[in-house]
Amino acid sequence: MITAKNIHKYFETPSGTLHALKDVSLTVKPAEVVVVIGPSGSGKSTFLRCLNRLEYADAGSIVIDGVNILDPKCAINAVRAEVGMVFQSFNLFPHITVLENITMAQISVRKTRKAEADKISMELLEKVGLSQKAAAYPDQLSGGQQQRVAIARSLAMSPKVLLFDEPTSALDPEMVGEVLDVMQDLAKEGMTMVVVTHEMGFAREVADRVVFMDDGQIQEEGKPEHFFTN
Ligand code: ADP
Ligand code: ADP
């Protein structure tokens, strides 16, 4: 589903060029859940952002579901529709309702008719356990609820792959579980996922494979048992 080969990413900084990704290669099979762990600044977020072209990799190749996303002819909207991303900060639009947050891209990007988009969105809200919040505004929801809406919004585009960048790091501890539960349900349903997280319980129980990054490189990868038994 994802084949990333020999990815390099450089950032120009006041103190010189930073080599943020050094020859990173990763293959993710359909329905596989890969958890990326590693210290702060090791390149996890940059790698994830390269996979949906929030960052443009400087070298290497990234093919997602047969589409070479680094091809300049590859439309960015097409990439973003195929590769959903859930961020640490939920980034919901504050001035529109929960339901409208989920229908918006369906209507504007996918040209889905409003009635149909509403129906799909209500089903997605049901899936994340928030159908009773459809008419609420984001600031009326807890952080955990907002993140579940953000996940529903990503799912509304029927992505082939979902990327999660520290999806629970901004949440109060008591809300982490409800978001991880939704992610675990998605994994069970066969969603292909790449998850950057510090939640080792999630990695141990849900990941098919764990990737350890340090210093811009994948240092080690293997089954969760490999990381958590010794
Ligand atoms: P992680 O997600 O593992 O914490 P990041 O991918 O966020 O690591 O960052 C990797 C390195 O790249 C860090 O040194 C970070 O400061 C640097 N970096 C990330 N984004 C930028 C940017 N837009 N400009 C300059 N440096 C960046
Ligand atoms: P996260 O850990 O969720 O990736 P960060 O705070 O590391 O959040 O990064 C947030 C934004 O700041 C990203 O767009 C990233 O590219 C940018 N960024 C990160 N490190 C640097 C840096 N050293 N210089 C400039 N921009 C950076």
Side-chain angles (χ1 to χ4, degrees):
M1 181 62 74
I2 304 176
T3 309
K5 278 193 194 147
N6 309 112
I7 301 304
H8 290 261
K9 180 69 192 174
Y10 303 88
F11 291 112
E12 295 308 327
T13 75
S15 49
T17 302
L18 181 94
H19 198 173
L21 294 177
K22 304 171 181 170
D23 208 37
V24 172
S25 298
L26 181 72
T27 301
V28 183
K29 290 180 280 207
E32 202 178 12
V33 178
V34 174
V35 166
V36 182
I37 61 174
S40 179
S42 57
K44 306 180 299 294
S45 181
T46 301
F47 177 58
L48 216 57
R49 294 160 64 84
C50 284
L51 295 180
N52 79 341
R53 242 172 70 177
L54 274 174
E55 300 283 0
Y56 202 99
D58 293 308
S61 68
I62 302 176
V63 177
I64 296 182
D65 196 35
V67 176
N68 172 7
I69 69 160
L70 296 183
D71 184 340
K73 287 186 300 245
C74 179
I76 190 64
N77 284 344
V79 176
R80 298 280 162 78
E82 300 295 293
V83 187
M85 186 144 173
V86 175
F87 300 89
Q88 183 174 326
S89 50
F90 336 113
N91 303 331
L92 298 177
F93 294 104
H95 308 298
I96 58 178
T97 66
V98 161
L99 186 72
E100 288 162 346
N101 264 277
I102 304 174
T103 56
M104 193 165 80
Q106 293 176 72
I107 294 168
S108 66
V109 179
R110 280 279 157 80
K111 311 296 176 202
T112 307
R113 291 176 53 201
K114 183 176 178 306
E116 175 69 8
D118 281 350
K119 180 166 163 285
I120 293 168
S121 302
M122 282 308 298
E123 286 165 7
L124 290 170
L125 275 177
E126 189 112 4
K127 190 189 187 76
V128 301
L130 290 172
S131 39
Q132 77 285 9
K133 297 291 186 189
Y137 286 82
D139 70 0
Q140 298 174 305
L141 271 54
S142 72
Q145 291 172 333
Q146 289 185 55
Q147 190 60 303
R148 282 146 66 197
V149 173
I151 293 172
R153 182 179 56 178
S154 295
L155 291 172
M157 300 304 282
S158 310
K160 298 272 170 33
V161 174
L162 258 192
L163 310 175
F164 293 84
D165 193 356
E166 303 200 19
T168 61
S169 295
L171 299 178
D172 291 335
E174 68 270 24
M175 291 164 190
V176 169
E178 66 194 54
V179 172
L180 294 180
D181 285 348
V182 168
M183 293 167 63
Q184 183 160 17
D185 289 345
L186 290 176
K188 281 195 196 124
E189 288 168 19
M191 176 61 75
T192 308
M193 295 162 49
V194 183
V195 183
V196 173
T197 186
H198 300 291
E199 294 293 332
M200 293 307 144
F202 180 85
R204 195 169 53 234
E205 283 158 38
V206 183
D208 296 300
R209 204 144 41 95
V210 175
V211 167
F212 173 68
M213 285 189 75
D214 196 10
D215 190 27
Q217 292 176 302
I218 293 179
Q219 304 287 357
E220 216 176 334
E221 64 175 273
K223 298 265 174 212
E225 305 87 85
H226 170 74
F227 283 86
F228 301 117
T229 51
N230 47 31

